[in-house]
mmCIF file of all heavy atoms in Angstrom:
data_model
loop_
_atom_site.group_PDB
_atom_site.id
_atom_site.type_symbol
_atom_site.label_atom_id
_atom_site.label_comp_id
_atom_site.label_asym_id
_atom_site.label_seq_id
_atom_site.Cartn_x
_atom_site.Cartn_y
_atom_site.Cartn_z
ATOM 1 N N SER V 1 -0.662 -9.639 -0.586
ATOM 2 C CA SER V 1 -0.179 -9.518 -1.964
ATOM 3 C C SER V 1 1.037 -10.387 -2.247
ATOM 4 O O SER V 1 1.421 -10.571 -3.405
ATOM 5 C CB SER V 1 0.187 -8.056 -2.251
ATOM 6 O OG SER V 1 1.282 -7.655 -1.422
ATOM 7 N N GLY V 2 1.665 -10.881 -1.176
ATOM 8 C CA GLY V 2 2.917 -11.601 -1.353
ATOM 9 C C GLY V 2 4.121 -10.674 -1.333
ATOM 10 O O GLY V 2 5.261 -11.127 -1.358
ATOM 11 N N HIS V 3 3.869 -9.362 -1.277
ATOM 12 C CA HIS V 3 4.939 -8.366 -1.186
ATOM 13 C C HIS V 3 4.997 -7.835 0.244
ATOM 14 O O HIS V 3 3.966 -7.688 0.896
ATOM 15 C CB HIS V 3 4.684 -7.204 -2.147
ATOM 16 C CG HIS V 3 4.672 -7.596 -3.588
ATOM 17 N ND1 HIS V 3 5.799 -8.013 -4.262
ATOM 18 C CD2 HIS V 3 3.641 -7.631 -4.485
ATOM 19 C CE1 HIS V 3 5.485 -8.286 -5.507
ATOM 20 N NE2 HIS V 3 4.185 -8.078 -5.680
ATOM 21 N N GLU V 4 6.208 -7.522 0.697
ATOM 22 C CA GLU V 4 6.396 -7.068 2.073
ATOM 23 C C GLU V 4 6.912 -5.634 2.139
ATOM 24 O O GLU V 4 7.658 -5.178 1.269
ATOM 25 C CB GLU V 4 7.397 -7.979 2.796
ATOM 26 C CG GLU V 4 6.913 -9.394 3.019
ATOM 27 C CD GLU V 4 7.948 -10.230 3.752
ATOM 28 O OE1 GLU V 4 9.148 -10.144 3.386
ATOM 29 O OE2 GLU V 4 7.565 -10.950 4.685
ATOM 30 N N LEU V 5 6.504 -4.954 3.199
ATOM 31 C CA LEU V 5 7.050 -3.656 3.579
ATOM 32 C C LEU V 5 7.194 -3.651 5.093
ATOM 33 O O LEU V 5 6.663 -4.526 5.778
ATOM 34 C CB LEU V 5 6.122 -2.516 3.154
ATOM 35 C CG LEU V 5 6.068 -2.147 1.667
ATOM 36 C CD1 LEU V 5 5.014 -1.067 1.438
ATOM 37 C CD2 LEU V 5 7.427 -1.671 1.170
ATOM 38 N N ARG V 6 7.882 -2.651 5.596
ATOM 39 C CA ARG V 6 7.947 -2.511 7.042
ATOM 40 C C ARG V 6 6.554 -2.227 7.590
ATOM 41 O O ARG V 6 5.677 -1.727 6.872
ATOM 42 C CB ARG V 6 8.934 -1.410 7.423
ATOM 43 C CG ARG V 6 10.387 -1.824 7.181
ATOM 44 C CD ARG V 6 11.352 -0.754 7.625
ATOM 45 N NE ARG V 6 11.128 -0.413 9.043
ATOM 46 C CZ ARG V 6 11.684 0.626 9.639
ATOM 47 N NH1 ARG V 6 12.470 1.437 8.966
ATOM 48 N NH2 ARG V 6 11.453 0.864 10.905
ATOM 49 N N LYS V 7 6.346 -2.534 8.847
ATOM 50 C CA LYS V 7 5.015 -2.532 9.449
ATOM 51 C C LYS V 7 4.225 -1.252 9.177
ATOM 52 O O LYS V 7 3.081 -1.297 8.687
ATOM 53 C CB LYS V 7 5.138 -2.752 10.959
ATOM 54 C CG LYS V 7 3.815 -2.840 11.691
ATOM 55 C CD LYS V 7 4.041 -3.066 13.180
ATOM 56 C CE LYS V 7 2.718 -3.096 13.936
ATOM 57 N NZ LYS V 7 2.937 -3.283 15.397
ATOM 58 N N ASP V 8 4.786 -0.088 9.504
ATOM 59 C CA ASP V 8 4.066 1.169 9.332
ATOM 60 C C ASP V 8 3.800 1.469 7.857
ATOM 61 O O ASP V 8 2.714 1.940 7.496
ATOM 62 C CB ASP V 8 4.842 2.323 9.957
ATOM 63 C CG ASP V 8 4.820 2.289 11.476
ATOM 64 O OD1 ASP V 8 4.198 1.363 12.040
ATOM 65 O OD2 ASP V 8 5.425 3.176 12.104
ATOM 66 N N ALA V 9 4.790 1.211 7.017
ATOM 67 C CA ALA V 9 4.631 1.462 5.587
ATOM 68 C C ALA V 9 3.588 0.533 4.986
ATOM 69 O O ALA V 9 2.810 0.929 4.114
ATOM 70 C CB ALA V 9 5.970 1.292 4.878
ATOM 71 N N SER V 10 3.564 -0.711 5.456
ATOM 72 C CA SER V 10 2.591 -1.681 4.965
ATOM 73 C C SER V 10 1.168 -1.245 5.281
ATOM 74 O O SER V 10 0.279 -1.248 4.418
ATOM 75 C CB SER V 10 2.872 -3.057 5.579
ATOM 76 O OG SER V 10 1.903 -4.005 5.178
ATOM 77 N N ALA V 11 0.936 -0.848 6.537
ATOM 78 C CA ALA V 11 -0.401 -0.403 6.940
ATOM 79 C C ALA V 11 -0.817 0.845 6.161
ATOM 80 O O ALA V 11 -1.978 0.978 5.741
ATOM 81 C CB ALA V 11 -0.424 -0.126 8.437
ATOM 82 N N ALA V 12 0.126 1.763 5.955
ATOM 83 C CA ALA V 12 -0.175 2.994 5.222
ATOM 84 C C ALA V 12 -0.521 2.696 3.767
ATOM 85 O O ALA V 12 -1.445 3.305 3.201
ATOM 86 C CB ALA V 12 1.010 3.947 5.298
ATOM 87 N N LEU V 13 0.194 1.767 3.157
ATOM 88 C CA LEU V 13 -0.076 1.444 1.755
ATOM 89 C C LEU V 13 -1.417 0.730 1.600
ATOM 90 O O LEU V 13 -2.140 0.962 0.625
ATOM 91 C CB LEU V 13 1.048 0.589 1.182
ATOM 92 C CG LEU V 13 0.963 0.328 -0.326
ATOM 93 C CD1 LEU V 13 0.927 1.639 -1.104
ATOM 94 C CD2 LEU V 13 2.130 -0.533 -0.797
ATOM 95 N N GLU V 14 -1.760 -0.099 2.554
ATOM 96 C CA GLU V 14 -3.079 -0.746 2.520
ATOM 97 C C GLU V 14 -4.186 0.300 2.559
ATOM 98 O O GLU V 14 -5.181 0.196 1.830
ATOM 99 C CB GLU V 14 -3.211 -1.719 3.691
ATOM 100 C CG GLU V 14 -2.375 -2.979 3.540
ATOM 101 C CD GLU V 14 -2.427 -3.887 4.761
ATOM 102 O OE1 GLU V 14 -2.953 -3.442 5.818
ATOM 103 O OE2 GLU V 14 -1.944 -5.020 4.669
ATOM 104 N N SER V 15 -4.010 1.327 3.390
ATOM 105 C CA SER V 15 -4.993 2.402 3.475
ATOM 106 C C SER V 15 -5.058 3.187 2.167
ATOM 107 O O SER V 15 -6.140 3.572 1.707
ATOM 108 C CB SER V 15 -4.656 3.349 4.631
ATOM 109 O OG SER V 15 -4.724 2.679 5.873
ATOM 110 N N LEU V 16 -3.893 3.434 1.567
ATOM 111 C CA LEU V 16 -3.846 4.160 0.298
ATOM 112 C C LEU V 16 -4.576 3.396 -0.802
ATOM 113 O O LEU V 16 -5.383 3.975 -1.549
ATOM 114 C CB LEU V 16 -2.387 4.405 -0.102
ATOM 115 C CG LEU V 16 -2.119 5.193 -1.383
ATOM 116 C CD1 LEU V 16 -0.797 5.956 -1.261
ATOM 117 C CD2 LEU V 16 -2.057 4.288 -2.612
ATOM 118 N N LEU V 17 -4.307 2.117 -0.921
ATOM 119 C CA LEU V 17 -4.951 1.307 -1.964
ATOM 120 C C LEU V 17 -6.457 1.226 -1.752
ATOM 121 O O LEU V 17 -7.231 1.240 -2.707
ATOM 122 C CB LEU V 17 -4.329 -0.094 -1.993
ATOM 123 C CG LEU V 17 -2.851 -0.157 -2.389
ATOM 124 C CD1 LEU V 17 -2.319 -1.575 -2.238
ATOM 125 C CD2 LEU V 17 -2.653 0.333 -3.822
ATOM 126 N N SER V 18 -6.877 1.147 -0.487
ATOM 127 C CA SER V 18 -8.300 1.109 -0.173
ATOM 128 C C SER V 18 -8.974 2.422 -0.562
ATOM 129 O O SER V 18 -10.074 2.433 -1.136
ATOM 130 C CB SER V 18 -8.495 0.837 1.323
ATOM 131 O OG SER V 18 -9.863 0.874 1.677
ATOM 132 N N ALA V 19 -8.320 3.549 -0.267
ATOM 133 C CA ALA V 19 -8.867 4.856 -0.620
ATOM 134 C C ALA V 19 -8.956 5.020 -2.136
ATOM 135 O O ALA V 19 -9.908 5.610 -2.653
ATOM 136 C CB ALA V 19 -8.003 5.962 -0.015
ATOM 137 N N ALA V 20 -7.958 4.497 -2.843
ATOM 138 C CA ALA V 20 -7.973 4.577 -4.310
ATOM 139 C C ALA V 20 -9.165 3.813 -4.880
ATOM 140 O O ALA V 20 -9.834 4.273 -5.812
ATOM 141 C CB ALA V 20 -6.667 4.032 -4.877
ATOM 142 N N ARG V 21 -9.444 2.647 -4.315
ATOM 143 C CA ARG V 21 -10.592 1.858 -4.784
ATOM 144 C C ARG V 21 -11.900 2.606 -4.567
ATOM 145 O O ARG V 21 -12.797 2.575 -5.417
ATOM 146 C CB ARG V 21 -10.625 0.504 -4.076
ATOM 147 C CG ARG V 21 -9.576 -0.483 -4.559
ATOM 148 C CD ARG V 21 -9.856 -1.890 -4.071
ATOM 149 N NE ARG V 21 -9.779 -1.990 -2.617
ATOM 150 C CZ ARG V 21 -8.662 -2.264 -1.941
ATOM 151 N NH1 ARG V 21 -7.524 -2.438 -2.616
ATOM 152 N NH2 ARG V 21 -8.665 -2.365 -0.632
ATOM 153 N N LYS V 22 -12.015 3.284 -3.429
ATOM 154 C CA LYS V 22 -13.230 4.055 -3.158
ATOM 155 C C LYS V 22 -13.410 5.190 -4.158
ATOM 156 O O LYS V 22 -14.521 5.628 -4.422
ATOM 157 C CB LYS V 22 -13.183 4.613 -1.730
ATOM 158 C CG LYS V 22 -13.321 3.550 -0.653
ATOM 159 C CD LYS V 22 -13.247 4.159 0.735
ATOM 160 C CE LYS V 22 -13.364 3.090 1.821
ATOM 161 N NZ LYS V 22 -13.245 3.662 3.189
ATOM 162 N N ASP V 23 -12.271 5.669 -4.708
ATOM 163 C CA ASP V 23 -12.322 6.728 -5.725
ATOM 164 C C ASP V 23 -12.301 6.153 -7.144
ATOM 165 O O ASP V 23 -11.976 6.858 -8.114
ATOM 166 C CB ASP V 23 -11.143 7.696 -5.540
ATOM 167 C CG ASP V 23 -11.350 8.634 -4.366
ATOM 168 O OD1 ASP V 23 -12.477 8.697 -3.850
ATOM 169 O OD2 ASP V 23 -10.377 9.296 -3.956
ATOM 170 N N SER V 24 -12.599 4.843 -7.237
ATOM 171 C CA SER V 24 -12.666 4.157 -8.544
ATOM 172 C C SER V 24 -11.340 4.155 -9.276
ATOM 173 O O SER V 24 -11.298 4.209 -10.518
ATOM 174 C CB SER V 24 -13.758 4.800 -9.425
ATOM 175 O OG SER V 24 -15.023 4.758 -8.787
ATOM 176 N N LYS V 25 -10.232 4.082 -8.524
ATOM 177 C CA LYS V 25 -8.901 3.972 -9.120
ATOM 178 C C LYS V 25 -8.331 2.609 -8.715
ATOM 179 O O LYS V 25 -8.039 2.373 -7.542
ATOM 180 C CB LYS V 25 -7.974 5.098 -8.626
ATOM 181 C CG LYS V 25 -8.524 6.500 -8.864
ATOM 182 C CD LYS V 25 -8.691 6.795 -10.338
ATOM 183 C CE LYS V 25 -9.150 8.230 -10.569
ATOM 184 N NZ LYS V 25 -10.530 8.470 -10.095
ATOM 185 N N SER V 26 -8.206 1.734 -9.672
ATOM 186 C CA SER V 26 -7.783 0.367 -9.385
ATOM 187 C C SER V 26 -6.261 0.257 -9.413
ATOM 188 O O SER V 26 -5.658 -0.136 -10.413
ATOM 189 C CB SER V 26 -8.407 -0.603 -10.392
ATOM 190 O OG SER V 26 -8.124 -1.940 -10.045
ATOM 191 N N LEU V 27 -5.643 0.663 -8.304
ATOM 192 C CA LEU V 27 -4.186 0.589 -8.184
ATOM 193 C C LEU V 27 -3.775 -0.738 -7.554
ATOM 194 O O LEU V 27 -4.472 -1.268 -6.694
ATOM 195 C CB LEU V 27 -3.667 1.746 -7.324
ATOM 196 C CG LEU V 27 -3.969 3.160 -7.828
ATOM 197 C CD1 LEU V 27 -3.395 4.204 -6.871
ATOM 198 C CD2 LEU V 27 -3.397 3.370 -9.225
ATOM 199 N N VAL V 28 -2.630 -1.238 -7.990
ATOM 200 C CA VAL V 28 -2.123 -2.503 -7.447
ATOM 201 C C VAL V 28 -0.649 -2.352 -7.089
ATOM 202 O O VAL V 28 0.057 -1.493 -7.627
ATOM 203 C CB VAL V 28 -2.292 -3.667 -8.461
ATOM 204 C CG1 VAL V 28 -3.767 -3.978 -8.672
ATOM 205 C CG2 VAL V 28 -1.611 -3.337 -9.789
ATOM 206 N N LEU V 29 -0.203 -3.179 -6.175
ATOM 207 C CA LEU V 29 1.202 -3.189 -5.755
ATOM 208 C C LEU V 29 1.982 -4.134 -6.657
ATOM 209 O O LEU V 29 1.658 -5.314 -6.766
ATOM 210 C CB LEU V 29 1.295 -3.638 -4.289
ATOM 211 C CG LEU V 29 2.690 -3.801 -3.703
ATOM 212 C CD1 LEU V 29 3.473 -2.493 -3.785
ATOM 213 C CD2 LEU V 29 2.590 -4.268 -2.251
ATOM 214 N N LEU V 30 3.006 -3.609 -7.309
ATOM 215 C CA LEU V 30 3.814 -4.406 -8.234
ATOM 216 C C LEU V 30 5.089 -4.932 -7.588
ATOM 217 O O LEU V 30 5.556 -6.026 -7.916
ATOM 218 C CB LEU V 30 4.188 -3.570 -9.467
ATOM 219 C CG LEU V 30 3.024 -2.970 -10.266
ATOM 220 C CD1 LEU V 30 3.572 -2.097 -11.396
ATOM 221 C CD2 LEU V 30 2.132 -4.071 -10.815
ATOM 222 N N SER V 31 5.664 -4.152 -6.695
ATOM 223 C CA SER V 31 6.929 -4.545 -6.065
ATOM 224 C C SER V 31 7.098 -3.782 -4.770
ATOM 225 O O SER V 31 6.614 -2.656 -4.638
ATOM 226 C CB SER V 31 8.105 -4.248 -7.005
ATOM 227 O OG SER V 31 9.335 -4.620 -6.406
ATOM 228 N N ALA V 32 7.778 -4.388 -3.804
ATOM 229 C CA ALA V 32 7.990 -3.731 -2.512
ATOM 230 C C ALA V 32 9.408 -4.055 -2.015
ATOM 231 O O ALA V 32 10.381 -3.745 -2.696
ATOM 232 C CB ALA V 32 6.918 -4.156 -1.523
ATOM 233 N N TYR V 33 9.523 -4.678 -0.849
ATOM 234 C CA TYR V 33 10.855 -4.999 -0.318
ATOM 235 C C TYR V 33 11.588 -5.953 -1.254
ATOM 236 O O TYR V 33 11.013 -6.897 -1.795
ATOM 237 C CB TYR V 33 10.742 -5.648 1.058
ATOM 238 C CG TYR V 33 12.027 -6.299 1.517
ATOM 239 C CD1 TYR V 33 13.106 -5.521 1.924
ATOM 240 C CD2 TYR V 33 12.172 -7.689 1.494
ATOM 241 C CE1 TYR V 33 14.299 -6.100 2.325
ATOM 242 C CE2 TYR V 33 13.356 -8.282 1.897
ATOM 243 C CZ TYR V 33 14.421 -7.487 2.307
ATOM 244 O OH TYR V 33 15.597 -8.076 2.691
ATOM 245 N N ARG V 34 12.859 -5.672 -1.457
ATOM 246 C CA ARG V 34 13.729 -6.581 -2.203
ATOM 247 C C ARG V 34 14.992 -6.839 -1.390
ATOM 248 O O ARG V 34 15.599 -5.901 -0.854
ATOM 249 C CB ARG V 34 14.139 -5.986 -3.551
ATOM 250 C CG ARG V 34 13.009 -5.767 -4.530
ATOM 251 C CD ARG V 34 13.568 -5.249 -5.848
ATOM 252 N NE ARG V 34 12.540 -4.578 -6.620
ATOM 253 C CZ ARG V 34 12.752 -3.502 -7.367
ATOM 254 N NH1 ARG V 34 13.964 -2.969 -7.427
ATOM 255 N NH2 ARG V 34 11.763 -2.971 -8.051
ATOM 256 N N SER V 35 15.400 -8.053 -1.328
ATOM 257 C CA SER V 35 16.628 -8.400 -0.628
ATOM 258 C C SER V 35 17.839 -7.983 -1.461
ATOM 259 O O SER V 35 17.722 -7.689 -2.660
ATOM 260 C CB SER V 35 16.679 -9.903 -0.372
ATOM 261 O OG SER V 35 16.792 -10.605 -1.611
ATOM 262 N N TYR V 36 18.993 -7.987 -0.841
ATOM 263 C CA TYR V 36 20.239 -7.678 -1.550
ATOM 264 C C TYR V 36 20.441 -8.646 -2.709
ATOM 265 O O TYR V 36 20.797 -8.244 -3.825
ATOM 266 C CB TYR V 36 21.408 -7.769 -0.572
ATOM 267 C CG TYR V 36 22.765 -7.572 -1.216
ATOM 268 C CD1 TYR V 36 23.264 -6.291 -1.438
ATOM 269 C CD2 TYR V 36 23.558 -8.666 -1.599
ATOM 270 C CE1 TYR V 36 24.504 -6.101 -2.032
ATOM 271 C CE2 TYR V 36 24.796 -8.485 -2.189
ATOM 272 C CZ TYR V 36 25.266 -7.199 -2.404
ATOM 273 O OH TYR V 36 26.487 -7.021 -2.995
ATOM 274 N N GLU V 37 20.186 -9.921 -2.450
ATOM 275 C CA GLU V 37 20.385 -10.943 -3.478
ATOM 276 C C GLU V 37 19.447 -10.722 -4.664
ATOM 277 O O GLU V 37 19.834 -10.896 -5.824
ATOM 278 C CB GLU V 37 20.169 -12.335 -2.883
ATOM 279 C CG GLU V 37 21.214 -12.769 -1.858
ATOM 280 C CD GLU V 37 21.057 -12.083 -0.506
ATOM 281 O OE1 GLU V 37 19.961 -11.536 -0.240
ATOM 282 O OE2 GLU V 37 22.042 -12.050 0.275
ATOM 283 N N ARG V 38 18.201 -10.339 -4.376
ATOM 284 C CA ARG V 38 17.248 -10.085 -5.458
ATOM 285 C C ARG V 38 17.676 -8.887 -6.285
ATOM 286 O O ARG V 38 17.551 -8.881 -7.528
ATOM 287 C CB ARG V 38 15.858 -9.841 -4.852
ATOM 288 C CG ARG V 38 14.785 -9.431 -5.855
ATOM 289 C CD ARG V 38 14.573 -10.478 -6.910
ATOM 290 N NE ARG V 38 13.494 -10.096 -7.811
ATOM 291 C CZ ARG V 38 13.373 -10.548 -9.055
ATOM 292 N NH1 ARG V 38 14.267 -11.409 -9.553
ATOM 293 N NH2 ARG V 38 12.356 -10.169 -9.827
ATOM 294 N N GLN V 39 18.222 -7.861 -5.632
ATOM 295 C CA GLN V 39 18.671 -6.678 -6.354
ATOM 296 C C GLN V 39 19.875 -6.992 -7.229
ATOM 297 O O GLN V 39 20.019 -6.437 -8.327
ATOM 298 C CB GLN V 39 19.004 -5.550 -5.375
ATOM 299 C CG GLN V 39 19.120 -4.176 -6.003
ATOM 300 C CD GLN V 39 17.803 -3.665 -6.571
ATOM 301 O OE1 GLN V 39 16.733 -4.036 -6.106
ATOM 302 N NE2 GLN V 39 17.880 -2.811 -7.576
ATOM 303 N N VAL V 40 20.741 -7.881 -6.773
ATOM 304 C CA VAL V 40 21.884 -8.321 -7.594
ATOM 305 C C VAL V 40 21.374 -8.919 -8.895
ATOM 306 O O VAL V 40 21.857 -8.599 -9.991
ATOM 307 C CB VAL V 40 22.743 -9.359 -6.835
ATOM 308 C CG1 VAL V 40 23.744 -10.024 -7.787
ATOM 309 C CG2 VAL V 40 23.482 -8.699 -5.685
ATOM 310 N N SER V 41 20.386 -9.801 -8.793
ATOM 311 C CA SER V 41 19.838 -10.465 -9.964
ATOM 312 C C SER V 41 19.195 -9.470 -10.932
ATOM 313 O O SER V 41 19.429 -9.520 -12.150
ATOM 314 C CB SER V 41 18.808 -11.518 -9.532
ATOM 315 O OG SER V 41 18.198 -12.127 -10.647
ATOM 316 N N LEU V 42 18.399 -8.534 -10.393
ATOM 317 C CA LEU V 42 17.728 -7.548 -11.241
ATOM 318 C C LEU V 42 18.721 -6.627 -11.941
ATOM 319 O O LEU V 42 18.626 -6.389 -13.155
ATOM 320 C CB LEU V 42 16.766 -6.706 -10.399
ATOM 321 C CG LEU V 42 15.426 -7.328 -10.022
ATOM 322 C CD1 LEU V 42 14.672 -6.396 -9.068
ATOM 323 C CD2 LEU V 42 14.582 -7.597 -11.258
ATOM 324 N N PHE V 43 19.686 -6.106 -11.180
ATOM 325 C CA PHE V 43 20.635 -5.150 -11.745
ATOM 326 C C PHE V 43 21.505 -5.804 -12.818
ATOM 327 O O PHE V 43 21.765 -5.197 -13.869
ATOM 328 C CB PHE V 43 21.505 -4.561 -10.639
ATOM 329 C CG PHE V 43 22.381 -3.432 -11.099
ATOM 330 C CD1 PHE V 43 21.821 -2.201 -11.422
ATOM 331 C CD2 PHE V 43 23.755 -3.589 -11.212
ATOM 332 C CE1 PHE V 43 22.613 -1.147 -11.848
ATOM 333 C CE2 PHE V 43 24.551 -2.547 -11.640
ATOM 334 C CZ PHE V 43 23.989 -1.317 -11.957
ATOM 335 N N ASN V 44 21.931 -7.011 -12.562
ATOM 336 C CA ASN V 44 22.735 -7.714 -13.571
ATOM 337 C C ASN V 44 21.929 -7.969 -14.836
ATOM 338 O O ASN V 44 22.464 -7.926 -15.955
ATOM 339 C CB ASN V 44 23.255 -9.035 -13.003
ATOM 340 C CG ASN V 44 24.364 -8.827 -11.987
ATOM 341 O OD1 ASN V 44 24.974 -7.756 -11.933
ATOM 342 N ND2 ASN V 44 24.625 -9.834 -11.165
#
């Protein structure tokens, strides 16, 4: 997706999104890890 999470969280979210698709729920990842610098820009 171009978005990052820690290893365990990433694998868990992939499983969640896959399960949602099987239940006909088209969920997508909008945002994940953000660096300190990115958060400065967003908050400002």
Side-chain angles (χ1 to χ4, degrees):
S1 64
H3 297 292
E4 293 181 316
L5 286 176
R6 288 183 56 191
K7 183 180 178 181
D8 288 0
S10 177
L13 187 57
E14 288 175 349
S15 297
L16 182 150
L17 295 174
S18 176
R21 286 193 296 271
K22 290 179 181 178
D23 284 348
S24 302
K25 304 297 184 292
S26 186
L27 300 180
V28 293
L29 176 59
L30 303 176
S31 180
Y33 166 73
R34 295 183 201 144
S35 67
Y36 176 83
E37 293 75 18
R38 174 60 177 156
Q39 196 66 27
V40 168
S41 177
L42 282 174
F43 188 71
N44 287 342

